[in-house]
Amino acid sequence: MATISTKMMKMAMSSSSSSSSSSSPVETVSTSTPQPPSSSLPLRTIPGSYGWPLLGPVSDRLDYFWFQGPETFFRKRSDKYKSTVFRANVPPTFPLFTGVNPNVIAVLDCKSFAHLFDMDIVEKKNILVGDFVPDIKFTGSIRVSVYLDPSEPLHGKVKNFAMDILKRGSKVWLTELLANLDTLWDTIDKDISAKGSASFLFPLQQCIFKFLTKALIGADTSASPEIEKSGYAMLDRWLALQLLPTIYIGVAQPLEEIFLHSFAYPFFLVSGDYRKLSEFIRKEGKDVIQRAKTEYGLSEEEIIHNLLFVLGFNAYGGFSVFIPNLLSTIGSDTTGLQEKLRKEVREKGGPSLNFDSVKEMPLVQSVVYETLRLNPPVPLQFARARKDFQLSSHDSVFEIKKGEILCGYQPLVMRDSEIFDDPETFKPDRFMGSGQELLNYLYWSNGPQSGTPTASNKQCPAKDYATLSACLIVAHLFRRYDSFTGSSSSITAVEKAK
């Protein structure tokens, strides 16, 4: 169950100077945008095809979910066409998704992928998971921020509001995160002592849920015993039912294909959970709601459902996928990485951990970035062409027509050998020193890590909070333990700090 939950949420998370205040992780950096196609590159017809109506999409769907899996699906076609840009069908599709167009143009190198974030040539209206949009009832019958294009006036209001709550929440972000981490590791210690190992996914999710609820909404989960105990599980179910048609599980074919990928699950299955979460925000987030009404002109319903989406999908969902990957990467390493991390954390952490202290830990930061490169929380990125334009890869130029959907499979994009040396290998120090230039190509946050979230783009407003929070988690871990052994779901041994 834990493995399936983690996979479902995967669709759900610099080289410039640091912020001068330890109370906020925000950094001001410039945004990298696609360069005009080089006149020296040949113009090429986009290879590949969508196949016969119905048959082509169904065939690609079976390859994607059953016979190959997403990574092999994209790799084999790229090899076949000798191109990182090609036509294919990406699920969901027939039989019960008759209104969803699965036709996409795959972009699998860093240069072509960058076009997905150029708002002059692409749009993001209703394009979170391709042409498929879950029932709007899942978000309170409100088109929340993720479905809005920057050209829509409401997008700017909601994005500015999101950046505001992050700025204000930074006052308690650090203390809430560290306090909940103490509780998490206490639980891990007890379980290891009693059972010899500790499954940490659900305790971690509870930790993340409690800290994010306080930091983003100003609400203490203890105000509602039910939310305190089960709020994180409510979010798991809510996330899962929206994304089931798009998620590769790979455990029980053909049952997976029949029951998970053939139709969209109805909202009523989680309507009770969603009502409890939204009412909790309505009651306990009154200060945030009133400020959004007064300062940003949003209605109460727009505020509540956008807050719940940011909390549940963007923040909680992203952390729930990324942090287990980060812990697994470090916990399973046999090259001496833990010793190096421990040394850096204890030499540069100062008397107490804060945002400024982890900014002085280049190896910790690089490990976080390298984990994001190889295991991006959101594997697929989509955009729809706003107009006709020319898209360039490293070796060719392609004509894109208005309305065509671009699809980037990020795990392959982040292994672009033209950009990253030895791209399949985890290199802990890849982003240190001159390697910081590679942050211009680290696109995990719906834009480059060197970019700046604004109301006019779709970059995650919390990208710097997310990476520095991950650094804090690593630093906190190595102030408490000398070493640990673990996977993406459990910790099997710890050696407490001497």
Side-chain angles (χ1 to χ4, degrees), residues 23 25 166 169-178 211-212 215-216 315 319 355 462 465-466 469 472:
S23 64
L166 284 164
S170 65
K171 297 174 183 178
V172 299
W173 189 284
L174 178 68
T175 54
E176 288 297 321
L177 174 58
L178 295 180
F211 122 73
L212 286 171
L216 296 176
F319 274 124
F355 291 124
Y465 290 80
S469 295
L472 279 165

Side-chain angles (χ1 to χ4, degrees), residues 93-395:
T93 184
F94 185 82
L96 298 181
F97 296 94
T98 53
V100 177
N101 178 13
N103 303 162
V104 303
I105 298 170
V107 288
L108 301 182
D109 65 271
C110 284
K111 191 173 182 181
S112 62
F113 189 69
H115 293 77
L116 292 172
F117 315 112
D118 184 346
M119 293 298 100
D120 289 333
I121 59 175
V122 301
E123 67 171 6
K124 295 281 188 170
K125 183 177 180 178
N126 297 337
I127 199 73
L128 174 66
V129 281
D131 202 44
F132 169 67
V133 179
D135 189 340
I136 198 171
K137 291 178 182 177
F138 279 101
T139 52
S141 298
I142 297 287
R143 284 181 66 235
V144 293
S145 58
V146 75
Y147 297 117
L148 299 173
D149 184 72
S151 64
E152 298 178 78
L154 185 58
H155 177 272
K157 291 182 180 181
V158 176
K159 184 74 173 280
N160 284 327
F161 168 55
M163 291 189 287
D164 177 66
I165 62 174
L166 284 164
K167 181 179 179 181
R168 292 174 184 266
S170 65
K171 297 174 183 178
V172 299
W173 189 284
L174 178 68
T175 54
E176 288 297 321
L177 174 58
L178 295 180
N180 280 284
L181 284 174
D182 283 334
T183 301
L184 170 65
W185 298 126
D186 287 345
T187 301
I188 297 297
D189 285 346
K190 290 178 183 177
D191 284 350
I192 291 177
S193 177
K195 306 172 187 176
S197 67
S199 177
F200 68 79
L201 179 58
F202 295 137
L204 173 66
Q205 288 184 325
Q206 194 160 30
C207 160
I208 292 168
F209 174 69
K210 291 178 67 174
F211 122 73
L212 286 171
T213 302
K214 191 64 176 288
L216 296 176
I217 301 170
D220 191 332
T221 57
S222 63
S224 167
E226 185 175 17
I227 297 297
E228 170 91 352
K229 179 182 178 182
S230 305
Y232 77 96
M234 294 178 184
L235 287 180
D236 284 345
R237 292 190 288 266
W238 172 73
L239 283 163
L241 288 196
Q242 292 179 76
L243 300 174
L244 277 170
T246 70
I247 300 299
Y248 168 74
I249 308 296
V251 294
Q253 292 290 15
L255 297 180
E256 177 184 333
E257 205 55 35
I258 296 170
F259 294 108
L260 300 188
H261 301 144
S262 295
F263 52 87
Y265 278 74
F267 170 68
F268 77 80
L269 294 173
V270 292
S271 59
D273 289 344
Y274 192 81
R275 177 183 54 79
K276 291 172 184 176
L277 288 165
S278 57
E279 287 305 313
F280 173 79
I281 292 175
R282 192 187 306 274
K283 180 180 178 181
E284 304 299 330
K286 290 179 180 178
D287 291 343
V288 174
I289 292 171
Q290 186 56 47
R291 189 170 70 248
K293 286 182 180 178
T294 304
E295 298 183 18
Y296 297 96
L298 297 169
S299 72
E300 184 165 307
E301 294 306 304
E302 287 170 337
I303 298 162
I304 289 170
H305 299 296
N306 273 288
L307 276 173
L308 185 44
F309 194 89
V310 169
L311 169 67
F313 202 103
N314 299 119
Y316 170 82
F319 274 124
S320 293
V321 172
F322 175 59
I323 299 305
N325 282 332
L326 179 62
L327 294 178
S328 175
T329 297
I330 297 172
S332 61
D333 183 83
T334 58
T335 66
L337 174 61
Q338 290 197 35
E339 182 180 352
K340 295 175 183 177
L341 289 170
R342 182 178 70 243
K343 184 173 185 291
E344 180 177 82
V345 165
R346 296 182 185 177
E347 288 182 354
K348 300 184 178 181
S352 61
L353 287 176
N354 55 52
F355 291 124
D356 282 343
S357 64
V358 295
K359 290 173 185 175
E360 300 302 318
M361 301 177 188
L363 179 60
V364 171
Q365 291 185 74
S366 183
V367 167
V368 167
Y369 291 140
E370 181 71 340
T371 304
L372 283 167
R373 181 182 74 85
L374 291 172
N375 298 282
V378 180
L380 290 169
Q381 297 278 4
F382 294 91
R384 183 180 282 107
R386 192 183 297 275
K387 59 184 180 182
D388 293 356
F389 69 92
Q390 288 191 330
L391 175 145
S392 57
S393 66
H394 291 305
D395 55 20

Side-chain angles (χ1 to χ4, degrees), residues 29-80:
V29 284
S30 60
T31 303
S32 174
T33 57
Q35 298 299 311
S38 170
S39 59
S40 63
L41 294 177
L43 181 64
R44 182 181 177 187
T45 300
I46 300 174
S49 74
Y50 303 127
W52 291 97
L54 298 183
L55 296 179
V58 168
S59 176
D60 279 358
R61 168 188 154 177
L62 294 176
D63 280 345
Y64 186 91
F65 282 134
W66 191 346
F67 303 125
Q68 297 175 346
E71 183 163 330
T72 300
F73 175 89
F74 286 109
R75 280 190 186 274
K76 287 178 73 71
R77 284 154 181 77
S78 182
D79 292 342
K80 176 182 177 180

